[in-house]
Amino acid sequence: MKRFQLLVMVAAVTAAAIWWGLYRSHHTSSAAVTTLLPKETIAFVHFPDFNRSWKDFHQTDLYKIWSEPAVQDFLQKPRSKIPKNEAVGRTIQDVQSTEIKDAFIAVISIDYTAWKVVGGFRFKGDDAKAQTVVENWRAKVLGRGPEFKHETVDYQGHQIQAESSGEIHFATVRDGQWFLVANDLDQLKALLDRVDGRAKDAATTLAADDVYTSATKHMPSAYTGLAFVNIEQIIKKFLPAEFKLPDVSEEQLALIRKVRSFSGAVAFDGGKMRDVLFVGMPKASEMGKLARVSLPIATKETLFYTAGFADFNHQVASIPQFATLVPALQKFITAFTANGITLDTWNGAFGQEFGVLADWPAKSHWPLVFAALPVKDSTKANKIVTVLTTADTDNTWTHQEKEGVQYYSTSAGGQFLTLSPTVAVSNKMVVLGMDATAVEAAMKRSAGKSELAGEKTFQEAERAVGSADQAFTYIDPALIYTRVDATVRPMLFMGAAFIPGIADTVDLSKVPAPDVITRHLSPIVMAQRYDGDGYVAESVGPVTANQSLLFLAGLAGGGAAIYHQQTQAASMNTQMSSPPSPSSTPMDIPDDSPSPTPSPSPSPNDSDD
């Protein structure tokens, strides 16, 4: 019996050890690094395991799209036109071979002239290989120019390599499997003391800082990268109480000074991307819990839906200031004043929750966009809309009532795109759209249940994030891609007929079929809530909502740069091809006396006869 109990105990201990190993392999913590950093650390970034993150990335939906044979076949020709940069591939190989873990960089202090920064990582790969990699990285950063200086500093049995090149200063050191770096020698020595255990006061480290711990408790247990910024310290240094900012009210400054921290983490989660953002601050205003009253308008063909709160007290109050930049708004302000419409009237008419959504029916070339607000008092709401449409003297608005709903419509657009902007007001909701028929259909749907909310994909996406008490966003990238492909693909083939140069870069016959891409695209969802001591925004999808915004911003910036470049090139070509103006053409002035014709010079090969 005792032998059996011993076997059971051994099996339990073994199982616990295996579980702990698996848990540690899939859960990361910044605790090991934050105990090395001082409590006054201002900003901190941590990458726990590059190799595991690289492996997880190869399981994502994005990488599956990249790996599709049809996608690789299509990209083969454009990729051949791009110069190969082998440096990136070598860097990835170096990181993998050294098995870098717990890579971090931290800003210890900042002032108007200099920042004190420390960083480092530990490695588990070949020691000699790691040393070579570090030496190569150091040489790339500092170079070996005429300003390069090197000094070896002995400290507590370690040899610190202090190097500089112009304004760049680095101090680096190896400590077992740790490689540490700083731009300040004293900070590197302090870091070494904590790594070696000479500095043992845990209360003086970042791990004991209440601003850091309260922020990072909202982060996921497993992540690819984590960032933390102590906003409170930055505000105290650069935005003291006596400091004033132009065009910023005292109320807004007071709200900014209440922000304590920002933290964010990115993780791979079952083939999807997940990010969590947290802003530590008191609750800005009490607007209740998000009800998503505009969701019934959404259909199975809704590709974008977002709902949140708008503090109209601030928005409406800022309209007079905005009107100085947009003079056309002045007539609406005048009309509001003449009809006795105040901020109280607006707040009495509409709720503070808003909704924006876009439907893209299969038969439509463009998406149908709607904006909605809940109605608290339909009489006041209709009065406001009536004043707005009457004040719009540039357009003719018509008004009609259908089944108890008031519709205000006008026409806009031109030869290629005809629009009928419409505002519909019921006793429940006001809806604005660019198509009268679509707005009428949306108002009829608002009285029933949401088609979108009944979809399984929507429900699964909704469950993937936490509660959405403050804001909620849903994006269907598969539907977007399908509709864009159906609209753009014919245009591409038509464009290729007029611009033969396209065929030199892209083989349009190899554009992947939509299902090759869409089978790997799940919905993108984002939920925002207030969680005790700050606002949490959590997003999940093949890419997250925040990554999508960054991508669109980069795409817009890149497109603007290309347009600007092409515009400049076209302008230069026009100037070069234009005939010179008469004033700049040199005048031929005839000379009365004939110029003597120069006699030809004798050729070197000529000889006297």
Side-chain angles (χ1 to χ4, degrees):
M1 183 68 179
K2 291 182 178 180
R3 182 177 296 178
F4 176 74
Q5 291 176 340
L6 180 61
L7 289 173
V8 170
M9 289 179 62
V10 170
V13 172
T14 304
I18 293 173
W19 175 85
W20 178 248
L22 291 173
Y23 180 88
R24 288 289 297 168
S25 68
H26 290 86
H27 290 73
T28 52
S29 172
S30 59
V33 176
T34 53
T35 55
L36 307 179
L37 299 173
K39 194 172 186 178
E40 63 270 16
T41 298
I42 293 174
F44 166 66
V45 179
H46 180 224
F47 302 98
D49 193 329
F50 277 101
N51 282 10
R52 194 191 70 210
S53 297
W54 187 249
K55 181 180 178 181
D56 289 344
F57 171 73
H58 283 74
Q59 305 301 317
T60 61
D61 296 331
L62 282 182
Y63 190 79
K64 289 176 182 177
I65 293 174
W66 171 263
S67 302
E68 284 282 354
V71 173
Q72 287 296 309
D73 192 28
F74 169 70
L75 293 176
Q76 183 177 2
K77 193 169 185 177
R79 288 176 67 189
S80 66
K81 305 291 182 180
I82 302 174
K84 293 184 179 180
N85 187 353
E86 297 180 355
V88 176
R90 283 197 301 268
T91 302
I92 293 175
Q93 291 176 359
D94 289 342
V95 171
Q96 290 177 324
S97 64
T98 52
E99 298 183 43
I100 289 179
K101 300 180 185 298
D102 283 327
F104 72 95
I105 185 169
V107 179
I108 305 303
S109 66
I110 57 175
D111 57 35
Y112 290 99
T113 58
W115 294 23
K116 292 184 179 180
V117 182
V118 300
F121 61 84
R122 57 187 181 88
F123 57 89
K124 288 193 172 183
D126 180 74
D127 188 83
K129 174 66 175 177
Q131 186 67 33
T132 302
V133 168
V134 169
E135 291 295 335
N136 290 337
W137 290 351
R138 187 160 49 195
K140 288 179 180 178
V141 173
L142 293 171
R144 288 295 187 268
E147 296 182 327
F148 176 79
K149 296 178 181 179
H150 176 270
E151 179 186 4
T152 299
V153 179
D154 291 325
Y155 180 75
Q156 298 291 341
H158 300 285
Q159 288 191 327
I160 299 175
Q161 307 301 319
E163 298 173 326
S164 66
S165 180
E167 297 296 324
I168 301 176
H169 299 269
F170 273 120
T172 59
V173 68
R174 274 279 308 278
D175 189 1
Q177 287 190 322
W178 277 101
F179 173 77
L180 306 172
V181 60
N183 67 346
D184 181 85
L185 184 59
D186 291 336
Q187 290 295 337
L188 185 60
K189 290 178 179 179
L191 184 59
L192 265 175
D193 288 340
R194 285 186 284 270
V195 172
D196 290 344
R198 287 184 293 275
K200 299 180 179 181
D201 189 357
T204 63
T205 66
L206 180 60
D209 181 50
D210 62 334
V211 176
Y212 172 78
T213 54
S214 65
T216 54
K217 73 181 180 182
H218 300 280
M219 298 296 101
S221 58
Y223 55 81
T224 296
L226 177 142
F228 161 78
V229 182
N230 190 320
I231 306 293
E232 190 175 61
Q233 287 195 52
I234 297 174
I235 290 175
K236 285 180 180 178
K237 189 171 187 64
F238 295 103
L239 199 64
E242 66 276 7
F243 193 81
K244 308 296 182 183
L245 286 174
D247 300 325
V248 178
S249 66
E250 286 295 330
E251 186 179 0
Q252 291 171 323
L253 277 175
L255 183 61
I256 293 173
R257 291 191 177 100
K258 291 179 181 179
V259 179
R260 300 187 69 201
S261 66
F262 166 83
S263 59
V266 178
F268 298 116
D269 185 1
K272 296 177 175 57
M273 303 280 282
R274 178 184 294 273
D275 68 27
V276 181
L277 305 179
F278 172 78
V279 178
M281 62 180 294
K283 203 169 189 179
S285 57
E286 189 60 55
M287 296 186 181
K289 188 175 181 180
L290 192 70
R292 286 185 271 177
V293 295
S294 56
L295 187 57
I297 297 176
T299 70
K300 296 178 181 179
E301 295 177 309
T302 296
L303 51 86
F304 173 82
Y305 173 77
T306 187
F309 288 108
D311 189 350
F312 293 113
N313 292 322
H314 289 92
Q315 303 297 330
V316 175
S318 64
I319 287 179
Q321 298 176 355
F322 190 62
T324 60
L325 301 175
V326 185
L329 286 177
Q330 189 59 49
K331 60 184 178 182
F332 296 104
I333 297 174
T334 303
F336 274 4
T337 304
N339 288 273
I341 296 176
T342 64
L343 182 59
D344 290 337
T345 309
W346 181 280
N347 289 331
F350 305 113
Q352 293 184 308
E353 181 179 321
F354 70 87
V356 177
L357 63 148
D359 278 7
W360 200 337
K363 295 181 180 180
S364 176
H365 292 295
W366 310 103
L368 304 171
V369 180
F370 306 94
L373 288 173
V375 169
K376 295 162 64 175
D377 186 322
S378 60
T379 301
K380 292 180 180 179
N382 275 295
K383 180 180 178 181
I384 291 173
V385 175
T386 300
V387 171
L388 281 171
T389 54
T390 304
D392 182 15
T393 54
D394 296 330
N395 298 287
T396 301
W397 289 80
T398 61
H399 170 240
Q400 58 179 325
E401 180 182 342
K402 291 183 180 180
E403 300 177 357
V405 179
Q406 309 297 321
Y407 292 93
Y408 305 80
S409 299
T410 187
S411 59
Q415 181 179 358
F416 299 101
L417 182 63
T418 302
L419 302 174
S420 52
T422 300
V423 182
V425 183
S426 69
N427 59 1
K428 180 181 179 182
M429 192 181 305
V430 56
V431 176
L432 167 66
M434 293 294 106
D435 182 85
T437 304
V439 169
E440 186 175 346
M443 288 303 294
K444 290 180 179 179
R445 293 194 300 271
S446 67
K449 294 183 178 179
S450 171
E451 290 183 11
L452 179 63
E455 290 290 291
K456 183 179 179 181
T457 54
F458 179 87
Q459 295 170 358
E460 291 175 348
E462 193 177 23
R463 287 194 296 267
V465 292
S467 60
D469 297 338
Q470 297 293 313
F472 177 82
T473 298
Y474 172 86
I475 305 170
D476 189 343
L479 181 58
I480 293 173
Y481 189 90
T482 300
R483 296 293 188 261
V484 170
D485 180 87
T487 301
V488 174
R489 188 184 292 254
M491 296 181 182
L492 290 176
F493 283 100
M494 185 179 298
F498 293 97
I499 310 175
I502 292 179
D504 296 334
T505 305
V506 180
D507 187 349
L508 295 179
S509 65
K510 293 184 177 181
V511 176
D515 67 292
V516 172
I517 308 297
T518 57
R519 62 184 171 218
H520 300 297
L521 293 177
S522 56
I524 300 169
V525 64
M526 186 278 291
Q528 180 182 308
R529 60 188 178 275
Y530 189 81
D531 193 5
D533 55 354
Y535 290 92
V536 178
E538 186 175 5
S539 181
V540 178
V543 295
T544 66
N546 297 306
Q547 291 166 357
S548 301
L549 289 174
L550 290 175
F551 172 76
L552 291 174
L555 195 65
I562 292 173
Y563 174 79
H564 180 68
Q565 185 179 10
Q566 290 181 341
T567 303
Q568 282 189 325
S571 177
M572 290 179 64
N573 291 334
T574 302
Q575 292 176 5
M576 293 176 65
S577 60
S578 298
S581 60
S583 60
S584 63
T585 305
M587 297 179 64
D588 294 331
I589 303 176
D591 192 352
D592 294 335
S593 59
S595 300
T597 302
S599 58
S601 301
S603 172
N605 296 327
D606 290 347
S607 58
D608 295 331
D609 292 337

